Amino acid sequence: MPRDKFPWELHNFFKKGSRVVVLTGAGVSAESGMPTFRGEDGLWRNYRAEELATPEAFTRDPKLVWEWYDMRRKIIHGCKPNPGHETIVKMEVYFEDFQLITQNVDGLHRRAGSKNVIELHGNLWRVRCVEEGKIFDFMEVPLKAVPPLCDCGSLIRPDVVWFGEAMPIEPLEAAFTAAEGCDVMVVVGTSGIVQPAALIPILAKQNGAYLVEVNLEPTPFTGLADCSVLGKAGEVLPELWNLIKDQ
Ligand code: OAD
């Protein structure tokens, strides 16, 4: 077991009764085959996510935005949760007080079996009628018509948070409360540059939590972390889990 990858004191923090929070970003789904937002494969028809995931882009060209979501929904539909997602499920079962917070909209955590999930940026398998505000699950893949319409004839949009939009207050407050009250936070596969999600590890650290980071590369959280492991989530998380369960 690669104990040398992790500091010796780590096991002191991962007790069964510890309050544990895991915060994930696109990196946790990368090994399932889902491109990250800011990686080399993050571009689509030369558009960046920031150019498509906005209310302005949707008003200007709902067809283009839905074509992008249709492409992403098709990819996700063909993806399976990976050992990173699966380890997080094991952690939820093991720890008495556990909270998963994700920035991902792909729904892979729930598909893996995670139950206690705060989806900060929404879920792209849910949609919202732009006229009536009605929210409902919409699993059609590939889309039969682009853009898809509500029964009332109005446009529907993915029920996700777009750039320039305020995040719904309820999940954000729940995430901040969990961060302030946790003993350990594990931050996995996020570039840490999108606010307000990027505040979450800082809040945890300020309130005395032990901070573990798992990422392919250094991020703004790396200097703050008590333990930073460079590597793939689908490999490092199972290693971390082996240390936790064997203690
Ligand atoms: P990013 O694409 O910005 O960052 C992905 C991070 O995952 C990077 O730091 C990579 O180094 C890391 N990574 C990639 N593969 C990995 C692997 N196999 N194991 C571990 N780490 C890996 O994605 P997010 O930080 O999630 O917002 O982006 C945050 C938000 O910006 C997203 O939720 C989305 C996006 O625009 C909205 O849609 C509102």
Side-chain angles (χ1 to χ4, degrees):
M1 196 178 308
R3 278 184 189 270
D4 49 355
K5 223 181 241 182
F6 301 98
W8 64 271
E9 79 276 7
L10 189 116
H11 67 272
N12 290 336
F13 296 92
F14 285 95
K15 302 281 182 214
K16 218 169 168 16
S18 301
R19 294 163 300 175
V20 177
V21 173
V22 175
L23 170 69
T24 64
V28 79
S29 294
E31 289 154 81
S32 292
M34 191 59 206
T36 58
F37 288 92
R38 295 175 182 80
E40 285 170 11
D41 47 5
L43 282 182
W44 175 76
R45 294 190 201 162
N46 283 329
Y47 292 103
R48 288 178 297 114
E50 287 90 339
E51 296 173 276
L52 295 164
T54 71
E56 293 77 21
F58 188 69
T59 305
R60 198 169 48 238
D61 196 343
K63 185 166 183 290
L64 176 76
V65 172
W66 262 114
E67 279 170 355
W68 182 59
Y69 277 102
D70 193 29
M71 176 276 295
R72 295 181 61 206
R73 284 161 58 111
K74 278 187 241 173
I75 296 176
I76 298 163
H77 186 69
C79 286
K80 286 205 296 278
N82 67 57
H85 298 106
E86 285 156 10
T87 301
I88 294 168
V89 178
K90 288 179 190 161
M91 290 169 82
E92 178 170 355
V93 173
Y94 180 83
F95 292 109
E96 285 154 19
D97 191 333
F98 181 89
Q99 179 67 62
L100 172 60
I101 305 168
T102 188
Q103 297 166 84
N104 299 345
V105 296
D106 57 28
L108 283 174
H109 282 302
R110 288 189 196 278
R111 255 165 72 186
S114 286
K115 299 217 164 19
N116 197 8
V117 192
I118 298 172
E119 291 177 319
L120 284 178
H121 295 161
N123 188 310
L124 51 62
W125 299 106
R126 245 187 0 242
V127 291
R128 192 159 79 227
C129 172
V130 298
E131 277 306 312
E132 300 174 324
K134 190 171 71 178
I135 294 173
F136 51 99
D137 289 341
F138 183 63
M139 308 301 286
E140 187 179 287
V141 59
L143 293 173
K144 290 186 189 124
V146 184
L149 301 177
C150 183
D151 289 346
C152 73
S154 309
L155 282 171
I156 49 177
R157 56 161 285 179
D159 189 29
V160 300
V161 180
W162 281 336
F163 290 97
E165 289 184 324
M167 265 175 58
I169 197 73
E170 213 175 283
L172 189 62
E173 275 181 0
F176 283 172
T177 303
E180 282 164 355
C182 71
D183 301 307
V184 189
M185 178 173 287
V186 186
V187 182
V188 187
T190 175
S191 55
I193 59 175
V194 173
Q195 295 292 359
L199 287 175
I200 292 169
I202 296 169
L203 262 183
K205 185 71 187 163
Q206 280 173 348
N207 284 276
Y210 186 82
L211 194 62
V212 180
E213 182 183 45
V214 180
N215 200 303
L216 286 184
E217 56 191 26
T219 74
F221 304 131
T222 308
L224 201 66
D226 299 285
C227 163
S228 167
V229 184
L230 295 184
K232 293 182 175 178
E235 294 170 6
V236 178
L237 287 179
E239 288 169 4
L240 176 64
W241 169 244
N242 282 337
L243 286 185
I244 295 169
K245 74 171 172 41
D246 287 350
Q247 63 184 326

Coordinates of all heavy atoms in Angstrom, one line a residue, residues 43-91:
L43 N -12.8 22.1 -25.4 CA -13.4 22.9 -26.5 C -14.4 22.1 -27.3 O -14.2 20.9 -27.5 CB -12.3 23.4 -27.5 CG -11.4 24.6 -27.0 CD1 -10.5 25.0 -28.1 CD2 -12.3 25.8 -26.6
W44 N -15.4 22.7 -27.8 CA -16.4 22.1 -28.7 C -16.6 23.1 -29.8 O -17.1 24.2 -29.6 CB -17.7 21.8 -27.9 CG -18.8 21.2 -28.8 CD1 -18.8 20.0 -29.3 CD2 -19.9 21.9 -29.2 NE1 -20.0 19.8 -30.0 CE2 -20.7 21.0 -30.0 CE3 -20.4 23.2 -29.1 CZ2 -21.9 21.4 -30.6 CZ3 -21.6 23.6 -29.6 CH2 -22.3 22.6 -30.4
R45 N -16.4 22.6 -31.1 CA -16.6 23.5 -32.3 C -15.9 24.8 -32.0 O -16.4 25.9 -32.3 CB -18.0 23.7 -32.6 CG -18.7 22.5 -33.1 CD -20.1 22.9 -33.6 NE -21.0 21.8 -33.6 CZ -22.3 22.0 -33.8 NH1 -22.9 23.2 -33.9 NH2 -23.1 20.9 -33.8
N46 N -14.8 24.8 -31.3 CA -14.0 26.0 -31.0 C -14.7 26.9 -30.0 O -14.2 28.1 -29.8 CB -13.6 26.8 -32.2 CG -12.5 26.2 -33.0 OD1 -11.6 25.5 -32.3 ND2 -12.5 26.3 -34.3
Y47 N -15.7 26.5 -29.3 CA -16.3 27.2 -28.3 C -15.8 26.7 -26.9 O -15.6 25.5 -26.7 CB -17.8 27.1 -28.2 CG -18.5 27.7 -29.4 CD1 -19.0 26.9 -30.5 CD2 -18.8 29.1 -29.5 CE1 -19.7 27.4 -31.5 CE2 -19.4 29.6 -30.6 CZ -19.9 28.8 -31.6 OH -20.6 29.3 -32.7
R48 N -15.6 27.7 -26.0 CA -15.3 27.3 -24.6 C -16.6 27.2 -23.9 O -17.6 27.9 -24.2 CB -14.4 28.4 -24.0 CG -12.9 28.3 -24.5 CD -12.1 29.4 -23.8 NE -12.6 30.8 -24.1 CZ -13.1 31.6 -23.3 NH1 -13.2 31.3 -22.0 NH2 -13.6 32.8 -23.6
A49 N -16.6 26.5 -22.7 CA -17.8 26.4 -21.9 C -18.3 27.7 -21.5 O -19.6 28.0 -21.6 CB -17.5 25.6 -20.7
E50 N -17.4 28.7 -21.3 CA -17.9 30.0 -20.8 C -18.7 30.7 -21.9 O -19.4 31.7 -21.6 CB -16.7 30.9 -20.4 CG -16.0 30.5 -19.1 CD -14.9 29.4 -19.3 OE1 -14.9 28.7 -20.3 OE2 -14.1 29.3 -18.4
E51 N -18.5 30.3 -23.2 CA -19.2 31.0 -24.3 C -20.6 30.3 -24.5 O -21.4 30.9 -25.2 CB -18.4 30.9 -25.6 CG -17.1 31.6 -25.5 CD -16.2 31.4 -26.7 OE1 -15.5 30.3 -26.7 OE2 -16.2 32.2 -27.6
L52 N -20.8 29.1 -24.0 CA -22.0 28.4 -24.3 C -22.9 28.3 -23.1 O -24.2 28.4 -23.2 CB -21.7 27.0 -24.7 CG -20.9 26.9 -26.1 CD1 -20.3 25.6 -26.3 CD2 -21.9 27.3 -27.2
A53 N -22.3 28.2 -21.9 CA -23.1 28.0 -20.7 C -23.4 29.4 -20.1 O -23.0 29.7 -19.0 CB -22.4 27.2 -19.7
T54 N -24.1 30.2 -20.8 CA -24.5 31.5 -20.3 C -26.0 31.8 -20.8 O -26.4 31.3 -21.8 CB -23.7 32.7 -20.9 OG1 -24.0 32.8 -22.3 CG2 -22.2 32.4 -20.7
P55 N -26.7 32.6 -20.0 CA -28.1 33.0 -20.4 C -28.1 33.8 -21.7 O -29.0 33.6 -22.5 CB -28.6 33.9 -19.3 CG -27.5 34.0 -18.2 CD -26.3 33.2 -18.7
E56 N -27.0 34.6 -22.0 CA -26.9 35.3 -23.2 C -26.8 34.4 -24.4 O -27.5 34.6 -25.4 CB -25.7 36.3 -23.2 CG -25.8 37.4 -22.2 CD -25.5 36.9 -20.8 OE1 -24.8 35.9 -20.6 OE2 -26.0 37.6 -19.8
A57 N -26.0 33.4 -24.3 CA -25.8 32.5 -25.4 C -27.1 31.7 -25.7 O -27.5 31.5 -26.9 CB -24.7 31.4 -25.1
F58 N -27.8 31.4 -24.6 CA -29.1 30.7 -24.8 C -30.2 31.6 -25.5 O -30.9 31.1 -26.3 CB -29.6 30.2 -23.4 CG -30.8 29.2 -23.6 CD1 -30.7 28.0 -24.1 CD2 -32.0 29.7 -23.1 CE1 -31.7 27.1 -24.2 CE2 -33.1 28.8 -23.2 CZ -33.0 27.5 -23.8
T59 N -30.2 32.8 -25.1 CA -31.2 33.8 -25.7 C -30.8 34.0 -27.2 O -31.7 34.0 -28.0 CB -31.1 35.1 -24.9 OG1 -31.3 34.9 -23.6 CG2 -32.1 36.1 -25.5
R60 N -29.5 34.1 -27.4 CA -29.1 34.3 -28.8 C -29.3 33.1 -29.7 O -29.8 33.2 -30.8 CB -27.6 34.7 -28.7 CG -27.0 35.4 -30.0 CD -25.6 35.9 -29.7 NE -24.7 35.0 -29.1 CZ -24.1 35.2 -28.0 NH1 -24.3 36.3 -27.3 NH2 -23.3 34.3 -27.5
D61 N -28.9 32.0 -29.2 CA -28.9 30.8 -30.0 C -29.2 29.5 -29.2 O -28.3 28.7 -28.9 CB -27.6 30.7 -30.7 CG -27.6 29.7 -31.9 OD1 -28.6 28.9 -32.0 OD2 -26.7 29.8 -32.7
P62 N -30.5 29.3 -28.8 CA -30.8 28.1 -28.0 C -30.5 26.8 -28.7 O -30.1 25.9 -28.0 CB -32.3 28.3 -27.8 CG -32.8 29.3 -28.7 CD -31.7 30.2 -29.1
K63 N -30.5 26.8 -30.0 CA -30.2 25.6 -30.7 C -28.8 25.2 -30.5 O -28.4 24.0 -30.2 CB -30.5 25.8 -32.2 CG -30.4 24.6 -33.1 CD -31.0 24.8 -34.4 CE -31.0 23.6 -35.3 NZ -29.7 23.2 -35.8
L64 N -27.9 26.2 -30.7 CA -26.5 25.9 -30.5 C -26.2 25.4 -29.1 O -25.4 24.4 -28.9 CB -25.7 27.2 -30.8 CG -24.1 27.1 -30.5 CD1 -23.5 26.3 -31.7 CD2 -23.5 28.5 -30.4
V65 N -26.8 26.1 -28.1 CA -26.5 25.7 -26.7 C -27.0 24.3 -26.4 O -26.3 23.4 -25.8 CB -27.1 26.7 -25.7 CG1 -27.0 26.2 -24.3 CG2 -26.4 28.1 -25.9
W66 N -28.2 24.0 -27.0 CA -28.8 22.6 -26.8 C -28.0 21.6 -27.6 O -27.9 20.4 -27.1 CB -30.3 22.6 -27.2 CG -31.1 22.7 -25.9 CD1 -32.0 23.8 -25.6 CD2 -31.2 21.8 -24.8 NE1 -32.6 23.5 -24.4 CE2 -32.2 22.3 -23.9 CE3 -30.6 20.6 -24.5 CZ2 -32.5 21.7 -22.7 CZ3 -31.0 19.9 -23.3 CH2 -31.9 20.5 -22.5
E67 N -27.4 22.0 -28.7 CA -26.6 21.0 -29.4 C -25.4 20.6 -28.6 O -25.0 19.4 -28.5 CB -26.1 21.6 -30.8 CG -27.2 21.5 -31.8 CD -26.9 22.2 -33.1 OE1 -25.9 22.9 -33.1 OE2 -27.7 22.1 -34.0
W68 N -24.8 21.6 -27.9 CA -23.7 21.3 -27.0 C -24.1 20.4 -25.8 O -23.5 19.4 -25.5 CB -23.1 22.7 -26.5 CG -21.9 22.5 -25.6 CD1 -20.7 22.0 -25.9 CD2 -21.8 23.0 -24.2 NE1 -19.9 22.1 -24.8 CE2 -20.5 22.7 -23.8 CE3 -22.7 23.7 -23.4 CZ2 -20.0 23.0 -22.5 CZ3 -22.2 24.0 -22.1 CH2 -20.9 23.7 -21.7
Y69 N -25.3 20.7 -25.2 CA -25.7 19.9 -24.1 C -26.1 18.5 -24.6 O -25.9 17.5 -23.9 CB -26.9 20.5 -23.4 CG -26.4 21.5 -22.4 CD1 -26.5 22.9 -22.6 CD2 -25.9 21.1 -21.2 CE1 -26.0 23.8 -21.7 CE2 -25.4 22.0 -20.2 CZ -25.4 23.3 -20.5 OH -24.9 24.2 -19.6
D70 N -26.7 18.4 -25.8 CA -27.0 17.1 -26.4 C -25.7 16.3 -26.5 O -25.7 15.1 -26.2 CB -27.7 17.3 -27.7 CG -28.4 16.0 -28.2 OD1 -28.8 15.2 -27.4 OD2 -28.5 15.8 -29.4
M71 N -24.7 16.9 -27.0 CA -23.4 16.2 -27.2 C -22.9 15.7 -25.8 O -22.5 14.6 -25.6 CB -22.4 17.2 -27.8 CG -21.0 16.7 -28.0 SD -19.9 16.9 -26.5 CE -19.8 18.7 -26.3
R72 N -23.0 16.6 -24.8 CA -22.5 16.2 -23.5 C -23.4 15.1 -22.8 O -22.9 14.2 -22.2 CB -22.4 17.5 -22.6 CG -21.4 18.5 -23.0 CD -21.3 19.7 -22.1 NE -20.9 19.3 -20.8 CZ -21.2 20.0 -19.7 NH1 -21.9 21.1 -19.8 NH2 -20.8 19.6 -18.5
R73 N -24.7 15.3 -23.0 CA -25.6 14.2 -22.5 C -25.3 12.9 -23.1 O -25.4 11.8 -22.5 CB -27.1 14.7 -22.7 CG -27.5 15.8 -21.7 CD -28.7 16.5 -22.1 NE -29.9 15.7 -22.3 CZ -31.0 15.7 -21.6 NH1 -31.1 16.5 -20.5 NH2 -32.0 14.9 -21.9
K74 N -25.0 12.9 -24.5 CA -24.7 11.6 -25.1 C -23.5 11.0 -24.5 O -23.4 9.8 -24.3 CB -24.6 11.8 -26.6 CG -25.9 11.9 -27.4 CD -25.6 12.0 -28.9 CE -26.1 13.2 -29.5 NZ -25.9 13.6 -30.8
I75 N -22.4 11.8 -24.3 CA -21.2 11.3 -23.8 C -21.5 10.7 -22.4 O -21.1 9.6 -22.1 CB -20.1 12.4 -23.7 CG1 -19.7 12.9 -25.1 CG2 -18.9 11.8 -22.9 CD1 -18.7 14.0 -25.0
I76 N -22.2 11.5 -21.6 CA -22.4 11.0 -20.2 C -23.2 9.7 -20.2 O -23.0 8.8 -19.4 CB -23.1 12.1 -19.3 CG1 -22.3 13.3 -19.2 CG2 -23.5 11.6 -17.9 CD1 -23.0 14.6 -18.8
H77 N -24.2 9.7 -21.1 CA -25.1 8.5 -21.2 C -24.2 7.3 -21.4 O -24.5 6.2 -20.9 CB -26.1 8.7 -22.3 CG -27.1 7.7 -22.4 ND1 -28.1 7.5 -21.4 CD2 -27.3 6.7 -23.3 CE1 -28.9 6.5 -21.8 NE2 -28.4 6.0 -22.9
G78 N -23.2 7.4 -22.2 CA -22.3 6.3 -22.5 C -21.2 6.0 -21.5 O -20.5 5.1 -21.6
C79 N -21.2 6.9 -20.4 CA -20.1 6.8 -19.4 C -20.6 5.9 -18.2 O -21.8 5.9 -18.0 CB -19.8 8.1 -18.8 SG -18.8 9.2 -19.9
K80 N -19.6 5.4 -17.5 CA -20.0 4.7 -16.3 C -19.2 5.3 -15.2 O -18.1 5.8 -15.4 CB -19.5 3.2 -16.4 CG -20.4 2.4 -17.3 CD -20.4 0.9 -16.8 CE -19.0 0.3 -17.0 NZ -18.7 -0.2 -18.4
P81 N -19.8 5.3 -14.0 CA -19.0 5.8 -12.8 C -17.7 5.1 -12.7 O -17.6 3.9 -13.1 CB -19.9 5.5 -11.6 CG -21.3 5.4 -12.2 CD -21.1 4.9 -13.5
N82 N -16.6 5.7 -12.3 CA -15.3 5.1 -12.2 C -14.9 4.8 -10.7 O -15.7 5.2 -9.8 CB -14.3 5.9 -12.9 CG -14.0 7.3 -12.2 OD1 -13.7 7.3 -11.1 ND2 -14.3 8.4 -13.0
P83 N -13.8 4.2 -10.5 CA -13.4 3.9 -9.1 C -13.3 5.1 -8.1 O -13.5 5.0 -6.9 CB -12.0 3.3 -9.2 CG -12.0 2.6 -10.6 CD -12.8 3.6 -11.4
G84 N -13.1 6.3 -8.7 CA -13.2 7.5 -7.9 C -14.6 7.7 -7.3 O -14.8 7.9 -6.1
H85 N -15.6 7.7 -8.2 CA -17.0 7.8 -7.7 C -17.3 6.7 -6.7 O -18.0 6.9 -5.7 CB -18.0 7.7 -8.9 CG -17.9 8.7 -10.0 ND1 -17.3 8.5 -11.2 CD2 -18.2 10.0 -10.0 CE1 -17.4 9.6 -12.0 NE2 -17.9 10.5 -11.3
E86 N -16.9 5.5 -7.1 CA -17.2 4.3 -6.2 C -16.6 4.4 -4.8 O -17.2 4.1 -3.8 CB -16.8 3.0 -6.9 CG -17.7 2.7 -8.1 CD -17.1 1.8 -9.2 OE1 -15.9 1.3 -8.9 OE2 -17.7 1.7 -10.2
T87 N -15.4 5.0 -4.8 CA -14.7 5.1 -3.5 C -15.5 6.1 -2.6 O -15.7 5.9 -1.4 CB -13.3 5.6 -3.6 OG1 -12.6 4.7 -4.4 CG2 -12.6 5.8 -2.3
I88 N -16.0 7.2 -3.2 CA -16.8 8.2 -2.5 C -18.1 7.6 -1.9 O -18.5 7.9 -0.8 CB -17.0 9.4 -3.4 CG1 -15.7 10.1 -3.7 CG2 -18.0 10.4 -2.7 CD1 -15.8 11.2 -4.8
V89 N -18.7 6.6 -2.7 CA -19.8 5.9 -2.1 C -19.4 5.1 -0.9 O -20.1 5.1 0.2 CB -20.4 5.0 -3.2 CG1 -21.6 4.2 -2.6 CG2 -20.9 5.7 -4.4
K90 N -18.3 4.5 -0.9 CA -17.8 3.7 0.2 C -17.6 4.6 1.4 O -17.9 4.2 2.6 CB -16.5 2.9 -0.1 CG -16.7 1.8 -1.1 CD -15.4 1.1 -1.4 CE -15.6 0.1 -2.6 NZ -14.3 -0.2 -3.2
M91 N -17.1 5.7 1.2 CA -16.8 6.7 2.3 C -18.1 7.1 2.9 O -18.2 7.2 4.1 CB -16.0 7.9 1.7 CG -14.6 7.5 1.4 SD -13.7 8.9 0.5 CE -13.2 9.9 1.8

